[in-house]
Amino acid sequence: LKPPQISLNMRLLLLFALVALSQSFLFAPPRIQRSVASSKSLHKPLTAPHIILPSSRQSFVLYANDFYAQLGVSRSASEGEIKSGFRKMARKWHPDVNPSDEAKEEFQKISRAYEVLSDPSMRQRYDQFGEAGVSTSAAGGGGYGGPGMEVDLGDIFDSFFGGGGGGRGPGAGRQRQRGPVAGDDLRFDLEVDFQTAVFGGEEKVRIRHLEKCETCTGSGVKPGSQVRTCGTCGGTGVVMAVTRTPLGNFQTQQTCTSCRGTGQTVDEYCGTCSGQGLVQKTKQVKISIPAGVEDGNKLRVRGEGDAGPKGGPSGDLYIFLKVKPDKRFRREGPEIYSDVTVSYVDAILGASVKVPVVDGEVEIKIPPGTQPKQVMRIKGKGAPRLGNAQQRGDHYVTVNIEIPKTISDKEKALVESLRDLKK
């Protein structure tokens, strides 16, 4: 089988996309969700950081049809020049005048070009976004728009990193960003003792997180200051650069540097938060530890992460638990394991001994003839099951038999007598 052939246009398109991807990562490094510090926590870097892609989006539009070129006018042409250009082209391609096969198609193209360029609002959208800005087709190939292709790098990022959906086209990226944006989640590593992990309890932790600025109520604007539409981008938050190539117009969309992508300019920002709408504060949070948690479990405290920008909801605080070991017990889920040591005489004759359990002590009977490493079960004395504290596991006791290294003459005589009886 021969490998599929890739056209020159597609190769160039892939090259443009790769260049844009490399520039995006070189000049806009990702932000990683942070871990809050505290004297009670063991701080480690996040094992699975959450990557937040930079807000700057780039869109590349390649299209074969240039409306200005179809009417034979420049991009700075006046309304009268556009009308004159349309009349000249109409006399050339009107089907009643030109009987050729391509006349009808060419006349439809120039009619579509005049329809767009004669309308000031549609012309502005076309100058800013290209053909896709005035067409309902995402690729710009439907209707009179002619063949074309749009590659939105934001959609590529979303497909790899799980971004939200939405329609394609130059406005799709901004539509996905509309609405309140949630703040970052935070991580706190908390060490609890063995008893707290088994039976639950409360812990207090001190965290530093971002809260909404009380001076500007999260807007970032100084009270009384005016907010205006950005004159650079016209309120869209993006600016466009158009370069002519043999394949058509190469159009780049970038975040407006004047308004930082907001589409608005502010006379004076809030001095308390430096226009961010957020301030960092220290807070003590009470954590309820449920019974039955284990080492490595995570608890979520809703709304105690960083506050979202522009009044967005706060993220969550994730508590990563580390349980201190207890030298008396070993634990596997709800089951508890421990050891007890008895003398060889008690192992032979049997005895009653007290063994520690997680909630005190219990007395167990060592049956006569108990063997080394024999395991005895104490039912219902294990740890509570997570999510059902009324149901507990079992406690398993491993019996170790102590064999003395030295014995008295009397003990030796008794043991020898016992041996003689066995013969």
Side-chain angles (χ1 to χ4, degrees):
L1 295 177
K2 293 184 178 180
Q5 299 296 320
I6 302 177
S7 66
L8 176 61
N9 288 359
M10 184 57 67
R11 291 179 183 178
L12 290 174
L13 180 61
L14 292 174
L15 176 61
F16 292 146
L18 289 174
V19 171
L21 282 170
S22 63
Q23 290 178 347
S24 176
F25 282 105
L26 284 173
F27 298 106
R31 294 159 43 215
I32 300 179
Q33 185 185 42
R34 62 189 178 89
S35 176
V36 282
S38 169
S39 59
K40 294 187 64 179
S41 67
L42 298 177
H43 304 295
K44 303 184 291 296
L46 287 177
T47 56
H50 297 273
I51 303 299
I52 302 175
L53 294 177
S55 58
S56 176
R57 298 174 64 90
Q58 294 183 328
S59 177
F60 297 93
V61 183
L62 295 176
Y63 46 89
N65 295 324
D66 185 338
F67 288 169
Y68 289 99
Q70 288 173 354
L71 298 183
V73 297
S74 66
R75 285 187 167 269
S76 59
S78 64
E79 184 178 349
E81 290 173 336
I82 291 174
K83 182 181 292 186
S84 176
F86 170 68
R87 290 177 177 174
K88 180 179 177 180
M89 291 297 175
R91 286 194 296 269
K92 178 180 179 180
W93 294 108
H94 197 284
D96 294 341
V97 179
N98 191 331
S100 62
D101 295 336
E102 68 270 17
K104 182 177 180 180
E105 182 180 353
E106 290 296 328
F107 184 74
Q108 289 177 340
K109 289 181 179 180
I110 63 174
S111 298
R112 172 60 176 167
Y114 180 68
E115 177 188 0
V116 171
L117 299 183
S118 62
D119 187 313
S121 62
M122 293 182 67
R123 182 180 179 181
Q124 181 182 5
R125 292 200 303 272
Y126 175 75
D127 290 341
Q128 188 169 14
F129 301 113
E131 226 174 324
V134 293
S135 174
T136 57
S137 172
Y144 300 110
M149 180 178 295
E150 177 181 350
V151 178
D152 191 341
L153 296 183
D155 291 337
I156 297 177
F157 281 125
D158 292 343
S159 65
F160 281 98
F161 297 102
R168 293 182 58 86
R174 294 195 59 78
Q175 289 174 0
R176 281 191 288 267
Q177 298 175 3
R178 289 177 182 172
V181 179
D184 289 342
D185 296 331
L186 302 182
R187 167 177 177 161
F188 189 98
D189 294 320
L190 177 64
E191 190 175 51
V192 297
D193 57 50
F194 192 89
Q195 289 294 116
T196 302
V198 171
F199 294 108
E202 288 188 349
E203 295 283 343
K204 293 180 180 179
V205 299
R206 187 169 293 275
I207 64 172
R208 288 179 63 82
H209 65 175
L210 296 176
E211 294 185 2
K212 182 173 65 177
C213 177
E214 297 179 355
T215 304
C216 63
T217 63
S219 67
V221 180
K222 181 179 180 179
S225 181
Q226 292 187 355
V227 180
R228 297 181 174 86
T229 301
C230 178
T232 304
C233 64
T236 62
V238 294
V239 291
M240 310 298 295
V242 179
T243 304
R244 294 183 181 275
T245 70
L247 298 177
N249 287 344
F250 180 67
Q251 185 168 291
T252 306
Q253 174 180 310
Q254 295 179 332
T255 301
C256 176
T257 57
S258 300
C259 64
R260 296 179 290 183
T262 63
Q264 298 176 328
T265 57
V266 179
D267 289 346
E268 187 173 359
Y269 288 99
C270 175
T272 304
C273 62
S274 301
Q276 299 299 316
L278 303 170
V279 292
Q280 193 171 72
K281 290 187 177 182
T282 301
K283 180 179 181 180
Q284 189 177 68
V285 180
K286 184 182 293 185
I287 307 297
S288 296
I289 310 294
V293 297
E294 298 182 66
D295 193 86
N297 284 161
K298 293 178 291 185
L299 305 177
R300 180 172 67 174
V301 185
R302 294 183 181 273
E304 291 296 347
D306 285 341
K310 306 301 180 183
S314 297
D316 298 329
L317 173 64
Y318 286 88
I319 307 295
F320 284 66
L321 297 178
K322 180 176 178 61
V323 180
K324 297 178 183 178
D326 190 308
K327 62 181 181 180
R328 302 171 300 168
F329 307 116
R330 302 182 306 277
R331 180 180 172 192
E332 294 181 8
E335 315 300 340
I336 303 293
Y337 299 86
S338 66
D339 298 326
V340 64
T341 301
V342 299
S343 69
Y344 70 98
V345 177
D346 289 338
I348 295 172
L349 302 177
S352 294
V353 296
K354 289 184 177 181
V355 296
V357 291
V358 290
D359 54 356
E361 282 186 342
V362 296
E363 188 176 89
I364 63 172
K365 290 184 177 181
I366 305 296
T370 297
Q371 301 300 306
K373 300 300 180 180
Q374 184 172 330
V375 178
M376 306 182 67
R377 184 177 73 164
I378 308 174
K379 193 173 181 179
K381 285 297 183 178
R385 297 185 183 275
L386 185 61
N388 186 4
Q390 304 301 320
Q391 185 179 5
R392 295 178 59 174
D394 299 328
H395 188 125
Y396 294 89
V397 180
T398 300
V399 180
N400 296 318
I401 299 176
E402 183 180 20
I403 306 296
K405 294 181 179 180
T406 60
I407 57 176
S408 65
D409 293 341
K410 186 176 181 179
E411 289 175 329
K412 184 177 179 181
L414 291 173
V415 173
E416 289 176 346
S417 300
L418 180 62
R419 184 177 61 185
D420 293 339
L421 289 174
K422 287 291 185 178
K423 291 181 178 180

